[in-house]
Amino acid sequence: MKLMIVDDSSIMRRAIGKYLSVLDLELAGTASNGQEAVTLFQKVLPDLVTLDITMPEMDGLTCLEKILRIAPLAKVIVISALSDPQTGLRALKLGAKSFLPKPFTETQLVEEIRRILGGVK
Amino acid sequence: MTEAELKFFIDVVTDYFQQVSGVGASMGIPYVKKEEAVVLSYTGLIGISGPRKGGIYFTAGPALLSTLMGEILGVEEADEDSLLDMVGEISNTVAGNVRKSFGTEFLISVPMLIKGKPDDILFRLKPPVFVIPINWRHERAFLVVGLE
């Protein structure tokens, strides 16, 4: 299964990539803003996307809408420092499978991915 | 800014270090900034818009940022881009987390990353500007908040 990581922080992209080493997932690619993410999504069609919200060029929630227009069944975990319940609810209403507030632990992320992808070890 | 709001900022910073590293940061006594510069080597500045206009910045030296990076990535790095990225991520997370208290109209910008000590960093902050001293693993940092 392929994962795409979208975050404007290279440290967060690398951290998420590192946490995934315990899962049987292939890194399909990374993007640092919403615009890049939409382009990359169309190219690699990942099984799962982790998506930050506050990013330059195009924010994560706009990106989420565009991804779901391309692939309505896309599985997206929104990961954001905007940890108020309203933002999480908005992400879920737009179609995200999960909302994970920053800062998060490796265990929290891995559990969410396993829950969403089902059969991942 | 009220005392309760200031406490919320302190709680968010404490929780951040605890969650990321397992070691909480200790806070010094907050004070209102006067003439002195409160800027260390690397700074992440977040502009705030909405009803509470102003700004927030987190500023730290390379040792704190590099050690924290080690906690997150398993490897300490000290190159310029990584240190700036780390300070930006801390600023972004703290500013984003305070929306739990300030609400969704507390609109935050992407971080402006600054190396060194520019003169104009305070232009975005609205007085009175509060300084929260932070100590984590014997390294110091500051969270500086100026909101209408």
Side-chain angles (χ1 to χ4, degrees):
Chain A
M1 287 190 171
K2 295 184 294 184
L3 172 91
M4 183 174 119
I5 300 170
V6 186
D7 198 303
D8 60 336
S9 162
S10 73
I11 288 172
M12 290 313 299
R13 293 195 300 272
R14 290 165 62 195
I16 293 168
K18 170 179 166 269
Y19 295 163
L20 295 175
S21 62
V22 302
L23 295 166
D24 189 17
L25 286 175
E26 173 195 343
L27 182 60
T30 65
S32 60
N33 65 59
Q35 192 64 58
E36 276 181 18
V38 173
T39 305
L40 183 64
F41 182 87
Q42 288 174 300
K43 190 175 162 191
V44 300
L45 294 175
D47 298 288
L48 180 68
V49 179
T50 66
L51 181 61
D52 187 19
I53 293 181
T54 308
M55 295 184 291
E57 311 291 335
M58 181 193 292
D59 69 83
L61 294 181
T62 306
C63 176
L64 174 63
E65 290 181 293
K66 288 182 183 288
I67 283 175
L68 291 174
R69 259 183 242 138
I70 296 164
L73 299 179
K75 293 174 177 171
V76 179
I77 300 177
V78 173
I79 299 176
S80 177
L82 304 180
S83 53
D84 56 283
Q86 295 92 332
T87 299
L89 195 58
R90 184 163 170 233
L92 295 174
K93 279 184 176 170
L94 285 173
K97 297 296 181 202
S98 177
F99 178 82
L100 193 57
K102 291 180 182 175
F104 56 89
T105 64
E106 176 177 348
T107 305
Q108 288 168 331
L109 178 61
V110 167
E111 280 178 1
E112 276 309 284
I113 291 174
R114 285 193 172 125
R115 184 180 68 78
I116 290 164
L117 291 182
V120 174
K121 291 175 188 170
Chain B
M1 197 160 60
T2 67
E3 196 174 317
E5 288 173 338
L6 201 57
K7 184 174 184 315
F8 197 76
F9 275 99
I10 291 170
D11 290 345
V12 163
V13 175
T14 306
D15 290 350
Y16 177 83
F17 281 92
Q18 182 68 45
Q19 176 90 332
V20 168
S21 71
V23 178
S26 61
M27 301 294 140
I29 298 169
Y31 60 92
V32 175
K33 188 188 167 309
K34 294 181 180 164
E35 297 299 315
E36 78 287 4
V38 185
V39 183
L40 301 175
S41 304
Y42 297 91
T43 300
L45 171 66
I46 306 281
I48 306 297
S49 54
R52 305 295 297 271
K53 291 181 181 58
I56 297 169
Y57 71 81
F58 179 87
T59 186
L64 181 145
L65 297 171
S66 178
T67 306
L68 196 58
M69 216 180 307
E71 294 287 347
I72 295 170
L73 295 176
V75 53
E76 291 186 18
E77 294 177 5
D79 65 281
E80 209 71 4
D81 287 347
S82 296
L83 295 173
L84 282 168
D85 197 67
M86 188 71 246
V87 82
E89 185 60 21
I90 298 169
S91 309
N92 176 60
T93 304
V94 170
N97 282 187
V98 297
R99 280 174 40 131
K100 276 187 283 193
S101 171
F102 285 75
T104 52
E105 291 185 331
F106 189 77
L107 303 174
I108 71 172
S109 73
V110 294
M112 181 188 297
L113 307 179
I114 302 161
K115 181 180 183 310
K117 300 179 178 181
D119 295 329
D120 61 351
I121 192 166
L122 291 175
F123 286 179
R124 284 177 178 239
L125 275 61
K126 304 290 183 190
V129 174
F130 291 88
V131 179
I132 303 171
I134 300 162
N135 279 286
W136 179 73
R137 293 192 171 168
H138 309 296
E139 298 293 340
R140 66 182 185 141
F142 297 97
L143 182 71
V144 182
V145 184
L147 299 172
E148 280 181 350

